[in-house]
């Protein structure tokens, strides 16, 4: 819900309310998440100013890391490079690596 809000002010209000409820709930994991979110609040609120997300880039980097683990031991760098270029075609199926 947070990311669908339109303004930084509404995001600040929403996050503040959510964190207060999480802390008051007495549920340890929610309290920890709340503290973590509050420690990153300036970065979270920057999203509403710049509307830039690195989610896609992080996903691609994760796919490359998985591919690297799958082909561990191969010495052919060109093969690895081709597999990286082909990642968009292979919908999480790295069996051919």
């Amino acid at each position: 819900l947070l990311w669908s809000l339109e303004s930084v002010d509404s995001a600040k209000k929403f996050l503040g309310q959510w964190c207060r409820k999480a802390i008051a709930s007495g549920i340890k994991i929610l309290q920890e998440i709340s503290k973590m979110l509050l420690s990153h609040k300036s970065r979270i609120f920057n999203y509403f100013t710049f509307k830039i997300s690195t989610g896609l880039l992080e996903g691609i980097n994760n796919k490359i890391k998985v591919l690297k683990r799958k082909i561990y031991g191969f010495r052919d760098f060109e093969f690895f490079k081709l597999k990286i270029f082909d990642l968009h075609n292979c919908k999480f199926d790295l069996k051919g690596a």
Side-chain angles (χ1 to χ4, degrees):
L1 292 174
L2 176 69
W3 305 115
S4 65
L5 298 173
E6 294 296 321
S7 71
V8 70
D9 292 329
S10 59
K12 286 179 180 181
K13 182 178 176 183
F14 177 85
L15 186 64
Q17 289 173 345
W18 189 92
C19 289
R20 278 192 294 282
K21 289 178 185 177
I23 291 168
S25 73
I27 300 171
K28 186 176 179 178
I29 190 70
L30 288 179
Q31 292 171 335
E32 291 173 3
I33 291 170
S34 175
K35 289 178 186 175
M36 185 268 303
L37 288 172
L38 290 173
S39 72
H40 293 284
K41 68 182 175 186
S42 64
R43 293 180 199 104
I44 292 170
F45 298 142
N46 276 341
Y47 170 78
F48 295 93
T49 304
F50 301 106
K51 297 288 186 187
I52 297 172
S53 171
T54 60
L56 179 62
L57 180 62
E58 295 294 333
I60 292 169
N61 284 340
N62 189 51
K63 281 185 174 186
I64 292 171
K65 287 178 191 177
V66 170
L67 176 63
K68 190 168 76 171
R69 284 193 300 269
K70 291 263 188 187
I71 65 170
Y72 180 78
F74 283 82
R75 297 285 183 229
D76 188 352
F77 180 73
E78 288 302 313
F79 175 75
F80 179 60
K81 195 164 77 171
L82 287 172
K83 292 302 278 184
I84 290 172
F85 290 139
D86 192 50
L87 277 175
H88 67 282
N89 288 328
C90 67
K91 300 280 185 197
F92 306 109
D93 179 21
L94 299 175
K95 294 176 192 165

